[in-house]
Amino acid sequence: MLALVYDGPGKRAWDHVPDPEVIDPEDAVVTVDAFTICGTDLHILRGDVPEVQPGRVLGHEAVGTVTAVGENVRTVRAGDRVLVSCISACGRCRFCREGRYGQCLGGGGWLLGHLIDGVQAEAVRIPFADGSVHKLPEGVSDETALMLADILPTSYEVGALNGGVRPGDTVVIVGAGPIGLAAVLSAGLYSPLRTIVVDPVESRRDAAVAVGADRVLSPDDDVAGTVRQLTGGLGADVAIEAVGVPATFDLAVGVVRPGGRVANVGVHGRPTTLHLEDLWSRDVTITTGLVDTFSTPMLLSLLQAGRVDVSRMVTHRFGFDEVPQAYDLFEDPVRSGALKVAVLRG
């Protein structure tokens, strides 16, 4: 079969690899009907995730059809249409019992496209299938469901929940890429007073307004001053960092009020400085996290009921014979205006 293979930093190829098969009683094999590219895939290609070895099939966001299951799989069967979660869960270890699937001690966690072959392929083996795929209801399209494989649960759990967004809060989201835009949607579930999004790219600021942001700013603006002006001199109740570079982390910390919360969602590939000389007396809470995806069933229910609108997230679509072009476009989002790229079978 064909798959997107990581060949070392800066190297990728849409190439032939062996077909996946059931090798454990808890496995499922899924024919991939649609997948998308994540910013984390770009971090891998830059060499920011050294655990990923050359030869690995990338990707952890997909929708597909189950074609085979191991004898111990109970929740899905061949023919089921499923969402493939970016996180795999053994369901038995201490962390899985706490709903912290991203920290699974039983062989799960972030596996796909990281420690085992991922979903940017014609088919994929899914370990711990009972805890790692979700049957899709009728009426939810492949393209829409893709947003629940990673970015929506990530923005909800690591952004809105970790940040403790509450009704009446002022929320500042730094970064209007896919995760930042999903954070606008996630924070909106808690009725903040205002949501302010900061991004250097005009088209992404426009996209933030389209999904519900109340105010958009460029990093070249006086962001901290504007936030203080809007909040009576206090600062933001919650700042969500959705990029993963030192400058955006510093900006998120700089806009939050005393007693506020900073939720770091971005994937950081190099160190940043934590200015405790400024923060120690301000009662600021800073959280980090890898998504656990415990919220996926709830978010899927909201999606099915029309309570969450992710229709603006996918901006470009490609066929399985156009994967290299999809990557070329996604790697240059400023010029292309790309948010999420969907690769669709047939």
Side-chain angles (χ1 to χ4, degrees), residues 157-159 161-164 239 241 249 261-265 284-289:
E157 296 173 15
V158 188
L161 284 188
N162 278 4
E241 197 285 332
F249 180 81
R261 289 89 66 194
V262 177
N264 183 87
V265 185
V284 171
T285 298
I286 299 174
T287 61
T288 65

Side-chain angles (χ1 to χ4, degrees), residues 287-302:
T287 61
T288 65
L290 174 68
V291 65
D292 294 308
T293 67
F294 66 81
S295 65
T296 301
M298 178 273 291
L299 293 170
L300 191 56
S301 296
L302 290 178

Side-chain angles (χ1 to χ4, degrees), residues 244-265:
V245 298
T248 52
F249 180 81
D250 289 345
L251 180 57
V253 172
V255 300
V256 76
R257 65 167 172 83
R261 289 89 66 194
V262 177
N264 183 87
V265 185

Side-chain angles (χ1 to χ4, degrees), residues 47-59:
D48 292 342
V49 189
E51 300 88 354
V52 181
Q53 297 298 304
R56 178 68 63 230
V57 176
L58 294 185

Side-chain angles (χ1 to χ4, degrees), residues 15-265:
D15 205 353
H16 290 276
V17 300
D19 291 342
E21 57 186 24
V22 170
I23 61 175
D24 183 275
E26 297 184 67
D27 287 349
V29 173
V30 175
T31 295
V32 176
D33 297 319
F35 68 78
T36 187
I37 305 168
C38 181
T40 305
D41 298 320
L42 301 187
H43 279 284
I44 292 170
L45 285 167
R46 296 176 191 132
D48 292 342
V49 189
E51 300 88 354
V52 181
Q53 297 298 304
R56 178 68 63 230
V57 176
L58 294 185
H60 52 265
E61 301 172 81
V63 171
T65 304
V66 176
T67 55
V69 297
E71 60 184 9
N72 291 347
V73 175
R74 297 289 181 266
T75 60
V76 294
R77 59 186 180 181
D80 285 343
R81 182 168 162 262
V82 296
L83 169 69
V84 177
S85 175
C86 63
I87 298 295
S88 301
C90 79
R92 296 180 288 268
C93 72
R94 170 182 172 173
F95 287 135
C96 283
R97 288 178 180 271
E98 295 174 354
R100 298 178 64 189
Y101 307 125
Q103 306 301 322
C104 176
L105 297 171
W110 176 29
L111 299 180
L112 295 169
H114 180 212
L115 303 180
I116 68 172
D117 285 341
V119 303
Q120 292 175 8
E122 294 181 305
V124 61
R125 178 181 74 90
I126 307 296
F128 307 117
D130 282 341
S132 307
V133 299
H134 303 271
K135 290 176 68 171
L136 287 175
E138 293 294 329
V140 175
S141 70
D142 289 353
E143 185 176 298
T144 300
L146 281 176
M147 302 304 103
L148 270 69
D150 183 351
I151 64 167
L152 199 57
T154 295
S155 66
Y156 176 75
E157 296 173 15
V158 188
L161 284 188
N162 278 4
V165 178
R166 296 189 289 256
D169 276 351
T170 291
V171 180
V172 174
I173 298 169
V174 183
I179 286 289
L181 297 179
V184 176
L185 296 174
S186 297
L189 296 173
Y190 292 91
S191 301
L193 178 64
R194 62 176 67 86
T195 301
I196 303 165
V197 175
V198 184
D199 196 278
V201 181
E202 183 178 6
S203 62
R204 293 199 162 188
R205 295 196 296 270
D206 292 341
V209 171
V211 299
D214 300 295
R215 183 79 176 263
V216 291
L217 298 169
S218 165
D220 295 329
D221 297 327
D222 180 8
V223 176
T226 301
V227 173
R228 286 194 299 270
Q229 181 183 24
L230 291 170
T231 57
L234 291 177
D237 299 289
V238 181
I240 297 175
E241 197 285 332
V243 181
V245 298
T248 52
F249 180 81
D250 289 345
L251 180 57
V253 172
V255 300
V256 76
R257 65 167 172 83
R261 289 89 66 194
V262 177
N264 183 87
V265 185

